[in-house]
């Protein structure tokens, strides 16, 4: 994974050091007063008859410096203080940008920081990377001080009639870096529709900069609005130009990361069942939340002979493409073992453990397999280092008492007894991965208590719908915002996938 923060930080530190030395040397060279050489102390020779002891001063000496020459020194100090202040501000803003870990957060930071640098209170940034043939290219607009209605009005203006639109359409290399319109309403060539929108929104000037990365090229543009005719001074233009360069590089890296995460999420979805089977006597629902880091959580449901049903959930150690590939191999192997000996969950997991130990000795996995007979309302299950199922019904909400066992691949020979249970009509059995518990951020005992409380609070009106039960549990167990799918991944400190497989017995 790319270390975005360190890359940006190194560049900014180098910039500050280099520019500091340049401005110091430049200031001294241009502002130093022209001084005459200071007179050297003439030696006092001893008085000797016939010799004048007063030695004339050499030709290169001069009287002492006049005290009035201190004014230029003060001016130099003031200018240096201003330059150091500007560079410190730029350093702080790029540090804040480097701490953002998603495209949306970075865009919000760019438009806010740019407004501070150019002295504006409103603006917008448009992310519009060059399209790629092999993938969907995101186009995002983020505003500052502008409502959705304001952004909609700006979108009605012809693209070539706006400064940021012209920057976005500029295909020349290296392209225009910035464009300033100091008096929008005073421009005789202004598009009539643009004039109307400017009057309604109340802005009189704009300043736009292009966002161009070294490798990705043009990826967007940012524009800030002034209430009155105005233009940023040269110092402000210089600072916002430097900031835009680093912002473009940071956004380009985030786009690469989110594209990679989206690809991994797509692969994970393709490795999981496209739909759940329909078996008389039981209704199924599943909720799968990806973290965007290529986790190895998986689930399966497959019909078996004589009206039986195999249910499985599990998690592979590690993350990224290798974990996804291992997850696919493990799930495919379990399906084969379940078809041959599904009525014996212990045998299924024993064979799976042997396969994992022989083919991938450096990897471990947790798994839970349940052999269900809906017509008899009977379930036989076995688990390997996995969290126990949860039964949810009118009369009870309780965890299934399973035997403590090690994950697959941890011991030279895995073995654990199976457990048999009989769900009552209308009861739901929840199988889940430990990501549901870990993603809460609580200790495991509190996470289990949280899960139990959420399941016990399912309203009676929802108990006949396994999907509604799973949604209710997700909303109550996980913190706000973590119960939503993560398209392309998110960088919020949670690197755990979540799976809930609900089986409601009629």
């Amino acid at each position: 994974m790319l270390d975005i923060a360190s890359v940006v930080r190194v560049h900014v530190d180098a910039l500050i050091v280099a520019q500091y030395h340049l401005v110091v040397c430049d200031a001294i060279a241009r502002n130093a007063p022209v001084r005459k050489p200071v007179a050297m102390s003439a030696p006092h020779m001893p008085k000797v008859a016939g010799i004048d002891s007063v030695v004339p001063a050499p030709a290169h000496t001069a009287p002492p410096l006049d005290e009035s020459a201190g004014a230029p020194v003060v001016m130099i100090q003031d200018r240096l203080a201003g330059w150091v202040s500007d560079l410190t501000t730029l350093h702080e803003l790029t540090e804040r940008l480097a701490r953002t870990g998603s495209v949306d957060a970075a865009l919000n930071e760019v438009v806010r920081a740019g407004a501070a640098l150019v002295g504006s209170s409103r603006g917008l940034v448009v992310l519009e990377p060059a399209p790629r043939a092999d993938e969907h290219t995101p186009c995002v607009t983020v505003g500052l001080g502008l409502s959705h209605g304001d952004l909609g009005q700006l979108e009605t203006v012809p693209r070539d009639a706006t400064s940021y639109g012209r920057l976005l359409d500029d295909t020349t290399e290296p392209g225009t870096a910035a464009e300033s319109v100091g008096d929008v309403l005073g421009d005789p060539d202004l598009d009539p529709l643009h004039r109307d929108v400017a009057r309604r929104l109340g802005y009189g000037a704009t300043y736009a900069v292009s966002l161009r990365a070294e490798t990705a090229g043009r990826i967007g543009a940012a524009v800030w609005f002034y209430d009155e005719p105005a233009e940023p001074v040269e110092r402000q233009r210089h600072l916002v130009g430097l900031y835009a360069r680093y912002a473009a590089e940071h956004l380009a890296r985030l786009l690469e990361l989110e594209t990679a995460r989206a690809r991994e999420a797509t692969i994970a979805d393709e490795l999981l069942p496209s739909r759940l089977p329909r078996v008389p006597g039981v209704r199924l629902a599943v909720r799968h939340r990806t973290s965007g880091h290529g986790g190895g959580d998986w689930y399966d449901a497959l019909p078996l002979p004589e009206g039986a049903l195999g249910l499985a959930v599990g998690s592979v150690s590690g993350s990224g493409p290798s974990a996804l590939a291992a997850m696919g191999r493990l799930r495919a192997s379990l399906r084969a073992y379940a078809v041959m000996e599904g009525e014996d969950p212990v045998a299924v997991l024993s064979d799976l453990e042997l396969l994992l130990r022989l083919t991938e000795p450096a990897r471990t996995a947790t798994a839970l397999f349940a052999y269900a007979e809906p017509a008899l309302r009977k379930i036989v299950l076995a688990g390997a280092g996995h969290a126990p199922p949860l039964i949810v019904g009118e009369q009870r909400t309780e965890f299934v008492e399973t035997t403590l066992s090690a994950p697959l691949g941890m011991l030279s020979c895995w073995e654990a007894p199976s457990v048999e249970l009989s769900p009552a009509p209308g009861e739901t059995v929840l199988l889940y991965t430990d990501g549901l518990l870990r993603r809460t951020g609580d200790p495991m005992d509190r996470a289990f208590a949280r899960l139990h409380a959420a399941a016990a609070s399912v309203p009676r009106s929802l108990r006949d719908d396994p999907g509604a039960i799973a949604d209710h549990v997700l909303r109550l167990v996980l913190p706000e915002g973590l119960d939503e799918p993560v398209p392309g991944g998110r960088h919020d400190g949670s690197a755990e996938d979540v799976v809930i497989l609900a089986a409601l017995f009629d």
Side-chain angles (χ1 to χ4, degrees):
M1 184 174 294
L2 295 175
D3 187 0
I4 298 174
S6 64
V7 173
V8 176
R9 186 179 301 110
V10 169
H11 284 220
V12 174
D13 289 341
L15 169 69
I16 291 178
V17 172
Q19 291 216 3
Y20 179 78
H21 286 293
L22 287 176
V23 298
V24 170
C25 296
D26 179 66
I28 293 176
R30 289 190 288 105
N31 297 287
V34 179
R35 303 181 181 182
K36 296 181 180 180
V38 181
M40 298 178 62
S41 300
H44 295 280
M45 301 295 293
K47 293 183 179 181
V48 180
I51 299 178
D52 186 1
S53 62
V54 178
V55 180
H60 64 272
T61 60
L65 178 65
D66 188 0
E67 293 295 334
S68 62
V73 176
V74 175
M75 183 180 66
I76 294 175
Q77 293 176 345
D78 291 342
R79 294 185 65 180
L80 288 178
W83 286 325
V84 171
S85 176
D86 290 342
L87 293 175
T88 301
T89 300
L90 181 63
H91 180 71
E92 293 175 352
L93 292 177
T94 51
E95 282 286 314
R96 291 183 57 173
L97 178 63
R99 287 194 291 268
T100 59
S102 67
V103 171
D104 289 340
L107 291 176
N108 280 282
E109 179 61 26
V110 167
V111 69
R112 187 203 63 80
L117 289 174
V118 301
S120 174
S121 59
R122 292 185 293 173
L124 65 88
V125 58
V126 180
L127 183 66
E128 193 176 286
R132 297 181 181 179
D134 58 338
E135 60 190 29
H136 173 70
T137 302
C139 296
V140 184
T141 300
V142 174
L144 173 69
L146 299 170
S147 64
H148 290 291
D150 296 339
L151 294 176
Q153 292 189 54
L154 289 170
E155 290 179 356
T156 63
V157 180
R159 191 180 177 101
D160 59 354
T162 62
S163 57
Y164 66 93
R166 289 188 289 270
L167 293 177
L168 288 172
D169 292 336
D170 186 9
T171 58
T172 61
E173 292 295 340
T176 306
E179 184 172 331
S180 177
V181 181
D183 188 357
V184 173
L185 299 179
D187 184 1
D189 299 328
L190 188 66
D191 184 86
L193 183 56
H194 190 185
R195 188 183 305 274
D196 293 339
V197 171
R199 285 173 176 168
R200 285 196 297 268
L201 299 185
Y203 63 87
T206 64
Y207 185 74
V209 296
S210 178
L211 298 176
R212 285 178 176 267
E214 184 176 351
T215 56
R218 188 263 300 157
I219 61 173
V223 61
W224 294 275
F225 304 96
Y226 295 91
D227 296 338
E228 302 293 338
E231 285 188 276
V233 298
E234 182 61 30
R235 177 182 61 85
Q236 293 174 315
R237 296 187 184 194
H238 180 62
L239 288 176
V240 77
L242 292 175
Y243 182 81
R245 285 169 48 197
Y246 291 105
E249 297 294 340
H250 183 65
L251 287 168
R253 291 182 177 91
L254 288 178
L255 283 173
E256 291 180 6
L257 288 174
E258 295 204 352
T259 300
R261 290 168 182 168
R263 290 172 179 169
E264 289 183 355
T266 302
I267 295 174
D269 290 339
E270 292 296 326
L271 292 174
L272 296 174
S274 58
R275 62 183 181 87
L276 297 176
R278 293 185 178 182
V279 177
V282 64
R283 287 176 286 165
L284 302 176
V286 67
R287 297 295 182 264
H288 181 211
R289 300 293 186 257
T290 60
S291 66
H293 297 271
D297 287 16
W298 55 276
Y299 65 91
D300 205 351
L302 66 157
L304 297 175
E306 300 179 358
L309 176 68
L311 301 174
V313 292
S315 178
V316 176
S317 62
S319 61
S322 62
L324 292 177
M327 177 262 285
R329 292 191 293 268
L330 204 65
R331 172 178 169 263
S333 301
L334 185 140
R335 290 175 71 92
Y337 297 141
V339 170
M340 294 186 296
E341 51 190 4
E343 67 278 0
D344 186 357
V346 173
V348 171
L349 293 184
S350 296
D351 291 341
L352 193 65
E353 193 273 339
L354 179 60
L355 177 69
L356 183 67
R357 183 156 45 86
L358 294 176
T359 59
E360 301 187 54
R363 192 178 298 278
T364 61
T366 66
L368 188 146
F369 178 72
Y371 179 80
E373 298 176 276
L376 304 177
R377 288 196 297 276
K378 175 184 174 182
I379 298 178
V380 180
L381 61 88
H386 206 81
L390 180 62
I391 299 179
V392 182
E394 292 286 346
Q395 304 298 326
R396 60 174 176 170
T397 299
E398 60 186 23
F399 291 103
V400 178
E401 293 186 4
T402 57
T403 303
L404 184 64
S405 60
L408 302 176
M410 292 288 290
L411 303 178
S412 59
C413 182
W414 178 90
E415 186 175 354
S418 61
V419 177
E420 183 176 326
L421 61 145
S422 299
E427 288 187 334
T428 300
V429 178
L430 294 180
L431 310 182
Y432 53 92
T433 59
D434 58 358
L436 178 64
L437 305 173
R438 298 183 185 278
R439 207 164 178 180
T440 63
D442 295 334
M444 293 304 287
D445 56 343
R446 293 182 59 184
F448 275 114
R450 193 174 191 172
L451 173 60
H452 185 275
S457 65
V458 175
R460 180 174 298 180
S461 60
L462 302 180
R463 291 185 182 272
D464 61 346
D465 184 354
I469 294 175
D471 290 335
H472 178 84
V473 170
L474 275 176
R475 284 194 299 268
L476 294 187
V477 171
L478 298 183
E480 183 180 358
L482 292 184
D483 61 337
E484 295 300 323
V486 187
R490 62 192 291 164
H491 188 76
D492 52 10
S494 174
E496 297 286 345
D497 288 1
V498 175
V499 171
I500 294 183
L501 180 60
L504 173 60
F505 288 81
D506 296 330

Short mmCIF file of all heavy atoms in Angstrom, two decimals, residues 169-205:
data_model
loop_
_atom_site.label_atom_id
_atom_site.label_comp_id
_atom_site.label_asym_id
_atom_site.label_seq_id
_atom_site.Cartn_x
_atom_site.Cartn_y
_atom_site.Cartn_z
N ASP A 169 -11.31 21.09 -19.82
CA ASP A 169 -11.29 20.70 -21.23
C ASP A 169 -9.94 20.96 -21.89
O ASP A 169 -9.77 20.62 -23.07
CB ASP A 169 -12.37 21.47 -22.00
CG ASP A 169 -13.77 21.04 -21.57
OD1 ASP A 169 -13.91 19.90 -21.08
OD2 ASP A 169 -14.71 21.83 -21.74
N ASP A 170 -9.01 21.54 -21.17
CA ASP A 170 -7.70 21.84 -21.74
C ASP A 170 -6.89 20.56 -21.87
O ASP A 170 -6.53 19.93 -20.88
CB ASP A 170 -6.97 22.85 -20.86
CG ASP A 170 -5.66 23.32 -21.48
OD1 ASP A 170 -5.41 22.98 -22.66
OD2 ASP A 170 -4.88 24.00 -20.79
N THR A 171 -6.63 20.17 -23.11
CA THR A 171 -5.89 18.92 -23.36
C THR A 171 -4.44 19.18 -23.74
O THR A 171 -3.71 18.22 -24.03
CB THR A 171 -6.56 18.13 -24.48
OG1 THR A 171 -6.63 18.94 -25.67
CG2 THR A 171 -7.98 17.72 -24.07
N THR A 172 -4.02 20.41 -23.76
CA THR A 172 -2.64 20.70 -24.12
C THR A 172 -1.71 20.35 -22.97
O THR A 172 -2.13 20.24 -21.82
CB THR A 172 -2.48 22.19 -24.47
OG1 THR A 172 -2.83 22.99 -23.32
CG2 THR A 172 -3.39 22.56 -25.63
N GLU A 173 -0.46 20.16 -23.29
CA GLU A 173 0.56 19.85 -22.29
C GLU A 173 1.60 20.96 -22.25
O GLU A 173 2.09 21.36 -23.31
CB GLU A 173 1.22 18.51 -22.59
CG GLU A 173 0.30 17.32 -22.42
CD GLU A 173 -0.15 17.11 -20.99
OE1 GLU A 173 0.54 17.63 -20.09
OE2 GLU A 173 -1.17 16.45 -20.77
N PRO A 174 1.97 21.51 -21.10
CA PRO A 174 1.49 21.10 -19.78
C PRO A 174 0.12 21.64 -19.42
O PRO A 174 -0.42 21.30 -18.39
CB PRO A 174 2.55 21.70 -18.85
CG PRO A 174 3.02 22.91 -19.57
CD PRO A 174 2.99 22.57 -21.03
N GLY A 175 -0.48 22.49 -20.26
CA GLY A 175 -1.81 23.01 -19.99
C GLY A 175 -1.78 24.25 -19.13
O GLY A 175 -0.77 24.60 -18.52
N THR A 176 -2.92 24.93 -19.10
CA THR A 176 -3.05 26.13 -18.28
C THR A 176 -3.14 25.76 -16.82
O THR A 176 -3.93 24.89 -16.45
CB THR A 176 -4.29 26.94 -18.71
OG1 THR A 176 -4.23 27.20 -20.11
CG2 THR A 176 -4.38 28.25 -17.94
N ALA A 177 -2.34 26.43 -15.99
CA ALA A 177 -2.31 26.09 -14.57
C ALA A 177 -3.42 26.77 -13.79
O ALA A 177 -3.94 26.23 -12.82
CB ALA A 177 -0.96 26.46 -13.97
N ALA A 178 -3.81 27.98 -14.18
CA ALA A 178 -4.83 28.74 -13.44
C ALA A 178 -5.48 29.74 -14.37
O ALA A 178 -4.93 30.12 -15.41
CB ALA A 178 -4.20 29.44 -12.24
N GLU A 179 -6.66 30.19 -13.99
CA GLU A 179 -7.38 31.20 -14.75
C GLU A 179 -8.15 32.08 -13.77
O GLU A 179 -8.89 31.57 -12.92
CB GLU A 179 -8.33 30.57 -15.76
CG GLU A 179 -9.03 31.60 -16.63
CD GLU A 179 -9.83 30.97 -17.77
OE1 GLU A 179 -9.43 29.87 -18.23
OE2 GLU A 179 -10.83 31.57 -18.18
N SER A 180 -7.99 33.39 -13.92
CA SER A 180 -8.62 34.35 -13.02
C SER A 180 -9.58 35.23 -13.81
O SER A 180 -9.25 35.71 -14.90
CB SER A 180 -7.56 35.21 -12.32
OG SER A 180 -8.18 36.19 -11.51
N VAL A 181 -10.76 35.42 -13.27
CA VAL A 181 -11.74 36.35 -13.82
C VAL A 181 -12.03 37.37 -12.73
O VAL A 181 -12.80 37.11 -11.79
CB VAL A 181 -13.03 35.64 -14.26
CG1 VAL A 181 -14.02 36.64 -14.86
CG2 VAL A 181 -12.72 34.53 -15.27
N GLY A 182 -11.39 38.53 -12.82
CA GLY A 182 -11.49 39.52 -11.75
C GLY A 182 -12.82 40.21 -11.64
O GLY A 182 -13.19 40.68 -10.56
N ASP A 183 -13.57 40.30 -12.74
CA ASP A 183 -14.88 40.97 -12.72
C ASP A 183 -15.80 40.20 -13.65
O ASP A 183 -15.80 40.41 -14.87
CB ASP A 183 -14.75 42.43 -13.15
CG ASP A 183 -16.05 43.21 -12.96
OD1 ASP A 183 -17.05 42.59 -12.55
OD2 ASP A 183 -16.06 44.42 -13.23
N VAL A 184 -16.54 39.27 -13.09
CA VAL A 184 -17.39 38.40 -13.91
C VAL A 184 -18.47 39.20 -14.61
O VAL A 184 -18.65 39.11 -15.84
CB VAL A 184 -18.01 37.29 -13.04
CG1 VAL A 184 -19.02 36.48 -13.84
CG2 VAL A 184 -16.93 36.37 -12.48
N LEU A 185 -19.20 40.00 -13.87
CA LEU A 185 -20.32 40.75 -14.45
C LEU A 185 -19.84 41.85 -15.38
O LEU A 185 -20.59 42.31 -16.24
CB LEU A 185 -21.19 41.33 -13.34
CG LEU A 185 -21.84 40.30 -12.41
CD1 LEU A 185 -22.67 40.99 -11.33
CD2 LEU A 185 -22.73 39.34 -13.19
N GLY A 186 -18.61 42.31 -15.21
CA GLY A 186 -18.09 43.36 -16.08
C GLY A 186 -17.48 42.84 -17.36
O GLY A 186 -17.02 43.65 -18.19
N ASP A 187 -17.46 41.53 -17.57
CA ASP A 187 -16.90 40.95 -18.78
C ASP A 187 -17.91 41.05 -19.91
O ASP A 187 -18.98 40.45 -19.86
CB ASP A 187 -16.53 39.49 -18.53
CG ASP A 187 -15.84 38.85 -19.72
OD1 ASP A 187 -15.63 39.55 -20.74
OD2 ASP A 187 -15.50 37.65 -19.64
N PRO A 188 -17.62 41.83 -20.97
CA PRO A 188 -18.61 41.99 -22.05
C PRO A 188 -18.84 40.71 -22.84
O PRO A 188 -19.89 40.55 -23.47
CB PRO A 188 -18.00 43.09 -22.92
CG PRO A 188 -16.52 43.02 -22.65
CD PRO A 188 -16.40 42.60 -21.22
N ASP A 189 -17.89 39.79 -22.83
CA ASP A 189 -18.02 38.54 -23.59
C ASP A 189 -18.60 37.40 -22.76
O ASP A 189 -18.59 36.24 -23.20
CB ASP A 189 -16.66 38.13 -24.14
CG ASP A 189 -16.07 39.17 -25.09
OD1 ASP A 189 -16.87 39.84 -25.77
OD2 ASP A 189 -14.84 39.33 -25.10
N LEU A 190 -19.07 37.70 -21.55
CA LEU A 190 -19.58 36.65 -20.66
C LEU A 190 -20.86 36.04 -21.23
O LEU A 190 -21.73 36.75 -21.75
CB LEU A 190 -19.84 37.22 -19.27
CG LEU A 190 -20.20 36.22 -18.18
CD1 LEU A 190 -19.02 35.31 -17.88
CD2 LEU A 190 -20.67 36.93 -16.92
N ASP A 191 -20.95 34.72 -21.11
CA ASP A 191 -22.15 34.00 -21.55
C ASP A 191 -23.37 34.51 -20.78
O ASP A 191 -23.32 34.67 -19.55
CB ASP A 191 -21.97 32.50 -21.33
CG ASP A 191 -23.13 31.70 -21.84
OD1 ASP A 191 -23.13 31.35 -23.03
OD2 ASP A 191 -24.05 31.42 -21.04
N PRO A 192 -24.49 34.80 -21.47
CA PRO A 192 -25.67 35.34 -20.77
C PRO A 192 -26.17 34.44 -19.64
O PRO A 192 -26.57 34.94 -18.59
CB PRO A 192 -26.70 35.47 -21.89
CG PRO A 192 -25.89 35.57 -23.15
CD PRO A 192 -24.68 34.73 -22.92
N LEU A 193 -26.16 33.14 -19.86
CA LEU A 193 -26.61 32.23 -18.81
C LEU A 193 -25.66 32.28 -17.62
O LEU A 193 -26.10 32.25 -16.46
CB LEU A 193 -26.71 30.81 -19.36
CG LEU A 193 -27.25 29.75 -18.40
CD1 LEU A 193 -28.61 30.14 -17.87
CD2 LEU A 193 -27.31 28.39 -19.08
N HIS A 194 -24.36 32.37 -17.89
CA HIS A 194 -23.39 32.50 -16.80
C HIS A 194 -23.62 33.79 -16.03
O HIS A 194 -23.51 33.82 -14.80
CB HIS A 194 -21.97 32.45 -17.36
CG HIS A 194 -20.92 32.34 -16.30
ND1 HIS A 194 -19.57 32.38 -16.57
CD2 HIS A 194 -21.01 32.18 -14.94
CE1 HIS A 194 -18.88 32.26 -15.46
NE2 HIS A 194 -19.73 32.15 -14.45
N ARG A 195 -23.96 34.86 -16.73
CA ARG A 195 -24.22 36.14 -16.07
C ARG A 195 -25.42 36.02 -15.13
O ARG A 195 -25.40 36.52 -14.00
CB ARG A 195 -24.46 37.22 -17.11
CG ARG A 195 -24.54 38.64 -16.55
CD ARG A 195 -24.85 39.65 -17.65
NE ARG A 195 -23.87 39.56 -18.74
CZ ARG A 195 -22.73 40.20 -18.73
NH1 ARG A 195 -22.41 40.99 -17.71
NH2 ARG A 195 -21.91 40.09 -19.76
N ASP A 196 -26.47 35.36 -15.59
CA ASP A 196 -27.67 35.20 -14.75
C ASP A 196 -27.36 34.37 -13.51
O ASP A 196 -27.81 34.70 -12.40
CB ASP A 196 -28.78 34.53 -15.56
CG ASP A 196 -29.29 35.42 -16.68
OD1 ASP A 196 -29.08 36.66 -16.59
OD2 ASP A 196 -29.89 34.89 -17.64
N VAL A 197 -26.59 33.28 -13.68
CA VAL A 197 -26.26 32.44 -12.54
C VAL A 197 -25.38 33.20 -11.56
O VAL A 197 -25.56 33.10 -10.33
CB VAL A 197 -25.56 31.15 -13.02
CG1 VAL A 197 -25.01 30.36 -11.84
CG2 VAL A 197 -26.53 30.29 -13.81
N ALA A 198 -24.43 33.99 -12.06
CA ALA A 198 -23.57 34.77 -11.18
C ALA A 198 -24.38 35.78 -10.36
O ALA A 198 -24.11 36.00 -9.18
CB ALA A 198 -22.49 35.48 -12.00
N ARG A 199 -25.37 36.39 -10.98
CA ARG A 199 -26.20 37.34 -10.24
C ARG A 199 -27.03 36.62 -9.17
O ARG A 199 -27.18 37.13 -8.06
CB ARG A 199 -27.11 38.08 -11.22
CG ARG A 199 -26.37 39.15 -12.04
CD ARG A 199 -27.28 39.73 -13.10
NE ARG A 199 -26.61 40.81 -13.82
CZ ARG A 199 -27.07 41.34 -14.94
NH1 ARG A 199 -28.20 40.87 -15.50
NH2 ARG A 199 -26.40 42.32 -15.54
N ARG A 200 -27.60 35.46 -9.53
CA ARG A 200 -28.44 34.75 -8.56
C ARG A 200 -27.61 34.25 -7.38
O ARG A 200 -28.06 34.29 -6.23
CB ARG A 200 -29.15 33.58 -9.24
CG ARG A 200 -30.30 34.00 -10.13
CD ARG A 200 -31.20 32.81 -10.45
NE ARG A 200 -30.50 31.79 -11.20
CZ ARG A 200 -30.47 31.71 -12.52
NH1 ARG A 200 -31.10 32.64 -13.25
NH2 ARG A 200 -29.83 30.75 -13.14
N LEU A 201 -26.41 33.76 -7.66
CA LEU A 201 -25.57 33.23 -6.58
C LEU A 201 -24.77 34.32 -5.88
O LEU A 201 -24.22 34.09 -4.80
CB LEU A 201 -24.62 32.16 -7.12
CG LEU A 201 -25.28 30.92 -7.75
CD1 LEU A 201 -24.23 29.89 -8.13
CD2 LEU A 201 -26.29 30.31 -6.80
N GLY A 202 -24.68 35.49 -6.50
CA GLY A 202 -24.03 36.61 -5.84
C GLY A 202 -22.52 36.56 -5.80
O GLY A 202 -21.92 36.88 -4.78
N TYR A 203 -21.88 36.16 -6.90
CA TYR A 203 -20.42 36.22 -6.93
C TYR A 203 -19.99 37.14 -8.07
O TYR A 203 -20.62 37.20 -9.13
CB TYR A 203 -19.79 34.84 -7.06
CG TYR A 203 -20.10 34.08 -8.32
CD1 TYR A 203 -19.33 34.26 -9.48
CD2 TYR A 203 -21.12 33.12 -8.36
CE1 TYR A 203 -19.60 33.54 -10.63
CE2 TYR A 203 -21.39 32.41 -9.51
CZ TYR A 203 -20.62 32.62 -10.64
OH TYR A 203 -20.89 31.90 -11.78
N GLY A 204 -18.88 37.86 -7.82
CA GLY A 204 -18.41 38.84 -8.79
C GLY A 204 -17.07 38.52 -9.40
O GLY A 204 -16.63 39.23 -10.32
N ALA A 205 -16.38 37.49 -8.92
CA ALA A 205 -15.07 37.12 -9.47
C ALA A 205 -14.81 35.65 -9.16
O ALA A 205 -15.38 35.08 -8.22
CB ALA A 205 -13.97 38.00 -8.88
#
